[in-house]
Amino acid sequence: MKFGTKAIHAGVSPDLSTGAIMTPIFQTSTYVQKSPGDHLGYEYSRTHNPTRTALQNSLAALENGKHGICFSSGLGAIDAVVKLFNPGDEIISTNDLYGGTYRLFTKVFERYGIKFHFVPMDKPETIASHVNEKTKMIWVETPTNPMMNIIDIKAVSEVAKKHGLILAVDNTFASPFLQNPLDLGADIVMHSVTKYLGGHSDVVMGALVVNDDELASKLVFLQNACGATPGPQDCFLVLRGIKTLHLRMERHCQNGKTIAAFLKNHPKISKVYWPGFEDHPNHSIAKSQMRDFGGMISFTLVGNKLEDAKKVMENLHLFALAESLGGVESLCGHPASMTHASIPKEEREKVGLVDSLIRLSVGVEDAEDLKNDLAQALAKI
């Protein structure tokens, strides 16, 4: 099936008991058994739930994977991945990544003896130089949050395979519509399902997709044992959101291209970070591993004044000032004080995350209205 057909049909089927075309919300905590251990595949909803099963099958299909595993948040999914490892193990991570991931790595797991190396990944040889006998995994975001850096997944997978490492890719910014890391050699794909997959800013969830049966078994064990599982109502909402993922992503990409071009030509804008520009670092890689360039854009202001950035964001009307991304509505955020505040200032600025940097999640509204909203806000500085 092509992607749009998979988004609507893969992993789901009409309910056998009623013929309902939409997957029911199985709002139950437990299931009746005929005899101890003799049940219909479901015994307790932390372990399994039919609504969650349908969603996990759908997500696996969208990522061309075999196993989908859902969690109560994206960080819950990342937490499970890191729990695959032991004290003394080391993980190489990109140096530009979501602040919550950085916080989880450094403030939680480093306390338990897992060491993290945060390195630029624009060149695979940089990664290889940090590999040692204790290295167990490479953690990649591409495009990165919020600097929109592009990492060559296929090239990194070759490094991982050469050294016997797991390669995990946070695919949240791209969504399965734009990029499928498993096809490029990744072992684990992670999504903050909250974002594009849900698409309507009404659910918080995370997911992992893998092909390897043994790896899936370990992650499913952690999903059940640690208990960070989503409820059936949330799973239902994401199943509904997925059915329009391809339609929404097409519009996100169209609007993203329009807004990026507008910002690049604006006299009050210093830099625009969007992988669709030909002069964007690793644009050729983005063009080869992504189907389009998405609706996530970051930009800085001339003069790099925090006061100017605040004034712009306070005067936007259609771009709501809020954390998160990937919903149908446009959002703006200030990474330095919001999503990435947990990263020390000196570390943020090493990758270009300065105080005037504004991140946009371009929604599916009319592009002209979005341009006009940005123009009037920028006119205030």
Side-chain angles (χ1 to χ4, degrees), residues 85-143:
F85 308 108
N86 299 307
D89 290 343
E90 298 188 7
I91 293 170
I92 300 172
S93 169
T94 180
N95 65 337
D96 173 34
L97 77 169
Y98 168 53
T101 306
Y102 180 90
R103 180 179 59 226
L104 180 67
F105 288 173
T106 60
K107 301 298 184 183
V108 178
F109 283 106
E110 281 192 347
R111 293 168 50 219
Y112 297 104
I114 297 176
K115 186 175 181 180
F116 296 87
H117 301 274
F118 299 95
V119 304
M121 293 189 176
D122 54 326
K123 297 178 181 178
E125 54 267 28
T126 306
I127 303 170
S129 67
H130 287 82
V131 175
N132 60 52
E133 68 279 1
K134 296 181 180 180
T135 309
K136 302 298 181 184
M137 182 175 74
I138 302 173
W139 182 268
V140 166
E141 276 186 21
T142 182

Side-chain angles (χ1 to χ4, degrees), residues 346-363:
E346 60 273 16
E347 294 299 319
R348 295 197 304 261
E349 293 188 344
K350 283 180 184 177
V351 299
L353 203 172
V354 296
D355 283 346
S356 78
L357 186 110
I358 296 171
R359 191 190 73 182
L360 301 180
S361 173
V362 181

Side-chain angles (χ1 to χ4, degrees), residues 15 66 122 138 190 260 277 288 302 304:
D15 178 52
K66 191 174 179 181
D122 54 326
I138 302 173
M190 195 288 294
F277 291 136
S288 67
V302 172
N304 188 34

Side-chain angles (χ1 to χ4, degrees), residues 12-32:
V12 298
S13 57
D15 178 52
L16 293 177
S17 63
T18 64
I21 196 166
M22 300 302 295
T23 303
I25 302 171
F26 287 89
Q27 193 71 52
T28 183
S29 62
T30 193
Y31 306 81
V32 173

Side-chain angles (χ1 to χ4, degrees), residues 122-196:
D122 54 326
K123 297 178 181 178
E125 54 267 28
T126 306
I127 303 170
S129 67
H130 287 82
V131 175
N132 60 52
E133 68 279 1
K134 296 181 180 180
T135 309
K136 302 298 181 184
M137 182 175 74
I138 302 173
W139 182 268
V140 166
E141 276 186 21
T142 182
T144 61
N145 180 5
M147 302 309 299
M148 306 303 299
N149 290 310
I150 298 297
I151 297 168
D152 188 335
I153 298 172
K154 189 173 182 180
V156 176
S157 75
E158 291 172 0
V159 175
K161 286 177 173 59
K162 180 180 178 181
H163 297 279
L165 310 177
I166 291 174
L167 172 59
V169 178
D170 182 338
N171 201 30
T172 299
F173 267 30
S175 87
F177 179 78
L178 296 181
Q179 183 171 268
N180 298 118
L182 294 179
D183 293 348
L184 299 169
D187 300 293
I188 301 172
V189 177
M190 195 288 294
H191 282 281
S192 174
V193 177
T194 310
K195 313 306 193 293
Y196 285 111

